[in-house]
Amino acid sequence: MAEKKFNKKYMHPTRRKLVNMIQTGEYQKDSQISLSDIKETTKREVGDIWEENGVVYEQKSYGKVKQSKLSNELSKVRKYLAEQTKCKGDDSKNKKYSAADKKLINKTGFCATCLAERETQIKVDGLWKEYEDYKIYSNMAAYGTDVLEKWNQALNEVTNIHKYVNDDGSIEKWSSNEDVQNLKKQIEADIDNGRKELIDVIEKRNAAYEKLKPMNYELVKEIWFKNNNDNDTMCGIVIKKLWWWRRRKRNNKRRW
């Protein structure tokens, strides 16, 4: 059987140049060899999420999985909800919490065991009354803020003409004999009294907070963050409006 000889004639020009360089040790300076088959690869870890050409992928143990952007947002929501059910004072990742623990974590950020330890320290420091006052007035401020927002909404929507949308899409208008102006005055009076009461509650809460603040308690910081520290929350926005309203009223009194 005839032995097949290696023939460079049938090779791709680029590969033929590479063979010549290896055999002769000479090369032309203007020779350009491209390696188009080599791809840059990125090693992904399990759980990594990335986007390529508008498509979201997640790396699983068995390979990458295509996801929609909506599922990516849902995964972020699930991660956030999972963090809300984990005690902030516990380093264990796989600890199972009881139903009572989960309620406490949602309310205080800590499970029953961690909460008891931290509250015991507050009692030892002799600041238990201030801590209780701070919790009570914080809850009252949050509730009062919600009620005040509902009153403001009612004031903007009060009218003697009511619209109802039927199942077929048609709209019916009903008129009542209510005195809208008197009703608005009543709501405005309730809002005015509610503002005064809410400002009083906030002052008492802040007074208790000033006594607790130097101790830097985790429980107090958690309550403060949930109710007041986030300026984007409805509570924070309303409190800002209240203080602005109070300063304006003081300035009007000074003018008179």
Side-chain angles (χ1 to χ4, degrees), residues 181-199:
Q181 295 303 323
N182 287 337
L183 186 57
K184 282 187 175 182
K185 288 181 181 179
Q186 292 177 8
I187 296 175
E188 287 174 350
D190 290 336
I191 291 175
D192 189 53
N193 293 330
R195 283 172 175 169
K196 293 177 182 177
E197 293 177 2
L198 186 55
I199 287 175

Side-chain angles (χ1 to χ4, degrees), residues 130-142:
E130 289 76 7
Y131 172 67
E132 283 191 323
D133 289 344
Y134 181 69
K135 287 197 299 180
I136 292 170
Y137 291 128
S138 293
N139 292 333
M140 290 175 65

Side-chain angles (χ1 to χ4, degrees), residues 47-255:
D48 288 351
I49 298 175
W50 71 98
E51 185 174 346
E52 292 180 7
N53 301 323
V55 181
V56 179
Y57 295 93
E58 181 179 0
Q59 184 66 37
K60 301 289 187 180
S61 59
Y62 48 83
K64 68 177 183 180
V65 178
K66 183 179 177 181
Q67 293 185 339
S68 65
K69 291 188 177 181
L70 177 59
S71 63
N72 187 28
E73 294 300 322
L74 288 175
S75 65
K76 292 180 181 179
V77 172
R78 294 189 191 98
K79 184 178 179 182
Y80 171 78
L81 293 175
E83 291 175 353
Q84 299 305 306
T85 57
K86 185 180 183 304
C87 175
K88 296 186 176 181
D90 188 10
D91 297 331
S92 177
K93 295 182 179 180
N94 300 319
K95 182 177 179 180
K96 294 183 179 180
Y97 300 103
S98 64
D101 283 331
K102 290 180 180 179
K103 288 182 180 179
L104 285 173
I105 291 171
N106 186 37
K107 188 175 181 180
T108 66
F110 299 93
C111 65
T113 304
C114 295
L115 181 64
E117 292 176 357
R118 285 157 177 77
E119 287 187 340
T120 300
Q121 184 61 47
I122 296 175
K123 291 179 181 179
V124 172
D125 295 335
L127 293 171
W128 183 252
K129 185 180 183 304
E130 289 76 7
Y131 172 67
E132 283 191 323
D133 289 344
Y134 181 69
K135 287 197 299 180
I136 292 170
Y137 291 128
S138 293
N139 292 333
M140 290 175 65
Y143 174 76
T145 300
D146 184 53
V147 172
L148 196 60
E149 280 299 304
K150 291 179 180 178
W151 281 345
N152 280 303
Q153 184 178 358
L155 181 62
N156 294 329
E157 296 178 356
V158 63
T159 178
N160 58 357
I161 297 177
H162 307 278
K163 295 181 180 180
Y164 297 93
V165 180
N166 298 320
D167 295 336
D168 58 358
S170 60
I171 299 176
E172 293 184 5
K173 292 184 179 181
W174 296 76
S175 60
S176 61
N177 297 324
E178 297 176 353
D179 189 345
V180 176
Q181 295 303 323
N182 287 337
L183 186 57
K184 282 187 175 182
K185 288 181 181 179
Q186 292 177 8
I187 296 175
E188 287 174 350
D190 290 336
I191 291 175
D192 189 53
N193 293 330
R195 283 172 175 169
K196 293 177 182 177
E197 293 177 2
L198 186 55
I199 287 175
D200 182 59
V201 168
I202 292 172
E203 287 179 345
K204 291 179 179 179
R205 182 208 59 193
N206 291 346
Y209 176 73
E210 289 301 321
K211 295 179 181 179
L212 297 167
K213 186 178 178 180
M215 304 304 293
N216 201 27
Y217 293 123
E218 288 181 273
L219 295 177
V220 175
K221 288 192 294 184
E222 187 69 19
I223 297 172
W224 179 266
F225 175 78
K226 284 186 175 181
N227 294 321
N228 314 294
N229 201 33
D230 189 357
N231 293 327
D232 293 332
T233 60
M234 187 59 67
C235 184
I237 293 171
V238 172
I239 288 172
K240 278 187 173 182
K241 289 182 179 179
L242 284 172
W243 289 112
W244 172 83
W245 171 81
R246 184 180 182 183
R247 286 196 300 269
R248 188 183 67 173
K249 200 162 187 178
R250 284 179 177 175
N251 293 334
N252 291 338
K253 285 183 179 179
R254 289 173 185 172
R255 291 176 185 174

